[in-house]
Amino acid sequence: MPKAKTPFLLRGMRDILPEESEVWYLVVDAARKISAQYGFTQIETPLLEQTPLFVRGIGKDTDVVGKEMYSFTDQGGDKITVRPEMTASMVRAYIEHGWLNKPQPVKVYQIGTNFRHERPQKGRLRQFSQWDVEVIGSGHPVVDVELIMLGYGFFSDLGIPVEIQINSIGTPESRKNYIRLLQDYYKPLKRKLCEDCKKRFVRNPLRLLDCKVCQEYQKDAPVIIDHLDDTSRKHFEDVLEHLDDAEVPYTLNPTIVRGLDYYTHTVFEFYPEGDEQAAQGALLAGGRYDGLAEDLGGRSTPGCGFAAGIERIVHRVEDMVRAGTMTIPEPRVDLYVAQLGEAPRRRALYLFEALRRAGFSAAQHFSRNGLKGQLAIASKLEAKFTLIFGQKELVDKTVLIRDMENGSQEVVDFKKIVKECKKRLDLWHKDHEQA
Ligand code: HAM
């Protein structure tokens, strides 16, 4: 019988390898930390939702709904979609759990996986993760600004320089007039447009503005903010003034219209500073969606939010580390437990757990044998002391404690080791603080 082929990764999917996970959690932890500082609480919505949630929420003429959703009918006959984004789910949760009765606005965030059947390329995956932040229940422009500041603060904390691009697309009502003007402008050019834009001309004219292929026609197109109604213009002016007051730098970009239909008023995208990087897409993107709750059958409720692509940010950090413009602090430990031989190793397990429970940051590699190798790892981790436990120590009920700075070693009673470590580490910190 021919040997069955080994199954490989699906296209557009990635394993997050152990060597990447440090950067991954650096990014995720920074997101969690700043979300809490800005008063957001974390929620988790399911990966699977009813298909109409996304069709109604994101819009049937969008690329996401039209071409990219992983949808299927399950065993019970329900039409199901693996979420391509999280905003629709967050607003569904708001409606379903009656959050309208909570103090408004509700500020929630979620870190999770999404799926889109896109053409895979650098920075564009079929399975990707987002840090998604939403403020639901306030239409005040300060909310848009708070979110932009949250995103800006997050990249500053990580040390990633970003450029914020911002635009307003007003309300669907105030946009109608502009869309007519846009179609008038594009009508004589229609033959020259790419195949996708020919379809966009009819179905989703705003998207003509952010096509990467037909860029040459965009610069002379009418500018949306010149054609919005007074309320929309006032909202946008307020946002820009607040940003100026907060000294957050931004660039106005009239071609930002976003690929999801629920947006109203402010829309924004964050790019890594430097043009050549922008081609890989935005690191973070979002905007206001004042009509979404109503589109989903809820009461009219304004909302605003953004999502940042974790993989893209992780890549950016890795690129910067390679280029030497960023350093990742190595994980450090205070104590390292080295063991020599079968029987000492068993007792060393107890020793390590006792140290860990006593609150020390300790490390070990119980599957390693030679002392030299273990001491080398201890040095790499910058352990201050290594506790060496061999046959002799097992019999004598002692531990050898090695000062990693000067190599001196001393025998300590096994029972007193926790106390002894504490004493030595306190002394170590005192000496180093003085120095
Ligand atoms: P989005 O622009 O579709 O917006 O995605 C937001 C971010 O997710 C992108 O800027 C990018 O960093 C990342 N991303 C999107 N698609 C992919 C992909 N295929 N591969 C890798 N990364 C990707 C939304 O999803 C909205 N729900 C954002 C939002 C929240 N608006 C309001 N609230």
Side-chain angles (χ1 to χ4, degrees), residues 2 33 38 66 94 112 145 151 154 156 171 202 220 235 247 249 263 271 388 407 430:
K33 187 171 162 209
Y38 267 76
Y94 179 96
V145 175
F154 164 74
S156 306
T171 57
V202 184
D220 296 324
H235 184 98
E247 298 188 19
Y263 288 108
Y271 289 90
I388 303 169
K430 225 188 229 161

Side-chain angles (χ1 to χ4, degrees), residues 4 37 73 132 135 168 180 204 248 270-271 313 324 374 379 400:
Q37 286 170 337
T73 306
D132 184 284
V135 180
S168 171
R180 263 194 303 275
N204 205 348
V248 176
F270 287 32
Y271 289 90
I313 299 165
Q374 292 180 74
S379 298
L400 203 56

